[in-house]
Amino acid sequence: MGDEGWQAFSERVTWDAAFHATCEAAPRPDAAALGLVNDRNASVLVAVSALMDRRAENNEDDGQLSQEVARLDAKLNVLMEIVNRLLLPQSALPPRVSVRFNAVGAVLPWADLPPVGQPVMLRLHFDACRALPLELPGVRLAGPSDGRGFIGFEGLSEAVRDGIERLVFRQHRRLVAEARAQARPADGGSEGM
């Protein structure tokens, strides 16, 4: 998967952020273990997508029903934060690391990465659901030469790959919408005078 993996990764939309993450050398999971990892990952992706979408949709409508939904959402956010802190306190999380990822692989600082060719397990903790990491088996491959390393994912089910692609695309779309919203007031700010 060497150069082809890097090429496939580079041609897709990525999510670039600071995640609580670890990447450690790990043996390749057997078929049964890989099935369990894929099942857990599918569940994590559904939970993270639902929590992130719910938070993003709150500011669209100012009607009475919308305000009630916003109050319920705020209560659910508090409850989720309590659960996250009980299940995985901030002190137990791995440090934040700059990660750029999609369904093909991930790029992250190589300071502590295993050598090229080594099987690894990358664990990403999303802020929306810190206690449930996305576990991504892969191999350390040749990639950028700028102080970062490339992990090519291996053994992910089609459902997990699709879930990652949807999550990454939604995040990209959200960032584009936020950038447009921030640019809009500056463009039309002096029209009313």
Side-chain angles (χ1 to χ4, degrees):
M1 181 172 164
D3 291 336
E4 312 88 51
W6 175 247
Q7 186 68 28
F9 173 81
S10 299
E11 292 173 351
R12 294 176 181 235
V13 174
T14 59
W15 184 349
D16 192 353
F19 293 95
H20 292 284
T22 59
C23 184
E24 301 168 340
R28 284 186 170 91
D30 62 19
L34 196 55
L36 291 173
V37 166
N38 279 315
D39 288 346
R40 282 193 307 265
N41 283 341
S43 296
V44 169
L45 288 165
V46 167
V48 169
S49 291
L51 289 168
M52 290 179 67
D53 284 348
R54 181 179 43 76
R55 289 178 181 168
E57 292 171 359
N58 282 342
N59 300 328
E60 292 178 1
D61 189 299
D62 290 332
Q64 189 173 6
L65 181 60
S66 178
Q67 291 174 359
E68 184 60 29
V69 169
R71 281 191 288 275
L72 290 172
D73 181 58
K75 291 176 183 179
L76 186 57
N77 286 341
V78 169
L79 182 60
M80 284 300 301
E81 186 61 27
I82 291 169
V83 169
N84 275 328
R85 287 183 185 190
L86 289 173
L87 292 177
L88 189 63
Q90 188 75 19
S91 61
L93 283 169
R96 285 195 184 267
V97 177
S98 177
V99 177
R100 184 167 52 117
F101 80 101
N102 60 28
V104 175
V107 173
L108 57 162
W110 72 32
D112 297 319
L113 291 180
V116 171
Q118 179 79 37
V120 298
M121 180 66 76
L122 174 63
R123 288 182 180 84
L124 292 177
H125 298 263
F126 295 91
D127 289 334
C129 192
R130 290 190 317 247
L132 301 173
L134 194 59
E135 298 177 315
L136 303 163
V139 174
R140 166 77 194 281
L141 299 171
S145 58
D146 59 356
R148 299 176 299 156
F150 176 58
I151 305 299
F153 300 144
E154 291 187 339
L156 297 181
S157 68
E158 193 63 34
V160 170
R161 287 186 185 279
D162 287 346
I164 292 171
E165 287 292 332
R166 281 191 302 275
L167 185 66
V168 168
F169 178 74
R170 283 186 191 130
Q171 179 64 16
H172 174 72
R173 188 176 64 196
R174 196 172 294 123
L175 291 174
V176 168
E178 287 172 6
R180 285 182 181 163
Q182 289 176 355
R184 206 170 290 138
D187 294 341
S190 60
E191 290 180 7
M193 294 186 179

